[in-house]
Amino acid sequence: MMNVLSNTAARAQEQSIPLCGPGSVHDLPHCPPGFVLNSRLNAAPLLSLHSSPRAAKPQKELSPEEQQELRRKINSRERKRMQDLNIAMDALREVMVPYASSSSPSHSHAPGAPPGRRLSKISTLVLARNYILLLGSSLQEMRRLLGEVSIGMGVSTGPVPRLLFAGGWPLIAGPRQLLLTHESLISSAPSSSSSSSAASSSSTAAKCATVPPGPMEASLAPVHWSCVGATGVPPCPCGVCRLSRFNHSKSAPRFSK
DNA sequence: TAGGCCATCTGGTCCT
DNA sequence: AGGACCAGATGGCCTA
C-alpha cells in the first residue's frame, strides 16, 4: 500500500509540471528548455479570451499581459481543482485498496487493475459504489434478521436499536441529505442521484434496461460483485454497465460548494 | 507498438 | 464579474 501511495505521489509530482514553451502560458517561472509544447497551445492562442464567440457581451479590454495573467490564474485554479480531486481520489483509494486486494480479480471491476497496482480512477469509483451497495444490502438483511429475532422472542423494540429496527437508519444520499429516512429517500430518489460527473456518464445509457431505476432500489437489489459476464447476467451494451452495475438515473443538480 | 491511464491546457457554461 | 465545473484535445508514461 505504501508503495502504491508513494508511487502515486511521486508520479503526480512528476507529472504536475505544466506544459510550457516559448510564448505559452505557464505558472512556473522556470521552464525546461526544449519542453514539448502542446500543439493546441499553438492552435488556440491565449488571446482568444478576447475574441471568443461569447464576446457578444462587451468584454473588458485587456492588454496581452493582463490576458496572460488571467490565463495563468485560470490554469492555476484548474490545476489546483484537479489536484484536490486527486487527493480525494487517493483518500478513497486508501479505503478501497484493502478491499480491492481482498477480492479476487474477477470480483473487482478493474479490468486493467491487477493486484498490487494502483486502482485507476474509474476502478476506484466503481469499487466504492459497489461497496456502498453491499453495505446497503447488508443493512437490509440485518434489519430482516433483527425483525425475525424480535418476533420470535415476542419483543417489539427491546435491546434492538430503535433506529435500526424501525428502518430509520440514517442513509446518506448526498451532502444535503445526511439524515434522511428510507422513505424520504425513496420519495426523493429521482433528484438524489450521484455527482454530476457520474451523471454525465450516465447520460450515455439512459435506456439501459439492466439497471434498477433509482438509487434506493439499487441499494436494495442484490449486489453483483463481479464484472458483468462472470455472474451469468447478460451484459448491458452500454459502456458504463460493462464495468459494473450502474445506475443511470437522471443527473442531479450540482451540490453546492 | 498499441492501448490504457493520466495531467494539463483550454473554452464554454453555470452558479454565487 | 469571478469562480467552479465540465468536456475535448493533446502528449507523456507505462504495461502487455
Side-chain angles (χ1 to χ4, degrees):
Chain A
M1 153 108 78
M2 279 306 290
N3 287 344
V4 172
L5 292 177
S6 58
N7 197 15
T8 300
R11 195 175 175 217
Q13 186 146 17
E14 188 183 358
Q15 295 202 349
S16 67
I17 300 172
L19 294 175
C20 53
S24 71
V25 178
H26 54 87
D27 296 320
L28 296 183
H30 54 283
C31 190
F35 205 85
V36 178
L37 179 64
N38 186 340
S39 64
R40 185 170 165 164
L41 286 178
N42 292 326
L46 12 142
L47 302 188
S48 63
L49 273 176
H50 203 73
S51 54
S52 69
R54 224 181 154 210
K57 275 194 248 174
Q59 296 246 340
K60 198 166 52 172
E61 282 299 321
L62 295 177
S63 70
E65 290 77 21
E66 287 171 325
Q67 290 168 1
Q68 210 166 29
E69 184 58 35
L70 179 59
R71 184 32 78 185
R72 270 197 211 105
K73 272 178 61 180
I74 294 173
N75 288 351
S76 178
R77 271 202 309 272
E78 176 65 8
R79 208 153 46 228
K80 171 76 164 48
R81 195 182 70 84
M82 294 308 294
Q83 283 166 358
D84 288 346
L85 185 64
N86 286 335
I87 288 171
M89 190 64 74
D90 274 340
L92 184 57
R93 251 182 217 120
E94 208 167 331
V95 175
M96 297 312 299
V97 159
Y99 160 70
S101 58
S102 70
S103 61
S104 72
S106 68
H107 277 186
S108 66
H109 142 60
R117 262 193 86 185
R118 186 179 79 144
L119 283 173
S120 70
K121 291 180 177 180
I122 182 71
S123 300
T124 304
L125 292 176
V126 168
L127 214 51
R129 176 185 178 274
N130 283 347
Y131 185 55
I132 291 169
L133 292 184
L134 176 74
L135 292 180
S137 61
S138 300
L139 187 58
Q140 206 61 19
E141 179 69 6
M142 197 171 7
R143 282 188 194 132
R144 194 183 62 77
L145 291 176
L146 283 172
E148 285 179 6
V149 166
S150 60
I151 286 173
M153 294 171 63
V155 180
S156 58
T157 56
V160 179
R162 274 175 194 276
L163 265 178
L164 193 58
F165 185 77
W169 198 256
L171 296 171
I172 302 172
R176 284 182 175 168
Q177 292 183 304
L178 278 176
L179 292 173
L180 289 183
T181 63
H182 186 145
E183 290 74 17
S184 66
L185 251 184
I186 289 181
S187 65
S188 66
S191 63
S192 64
S193 61
S194 54
S195 72
S196 58
S197 297
S200 67
S201 55
S202 73
S203 63
T204 58
K207 305 120 196 160
C208 174
T210 65
V211 292
M216 201 54 214
E217 292 84 335
S219 71
L220 298 180
V223 177
H224 302 297
W225 282 99
S226 58
C227 295
V228 178
T231 58
V233 179
C236 171
C238 79
V240 179
C241 286
R242 250 182 340 101
L243 304 181
S244 82
R245 289 171 71 253
F246 200 89
N247 177 28
H248 297 303
S249 59
K250 184 78 179 70
S251 65
R254 271 182 203 164
F255 296 131
S256 65
K257 300 145 205 166

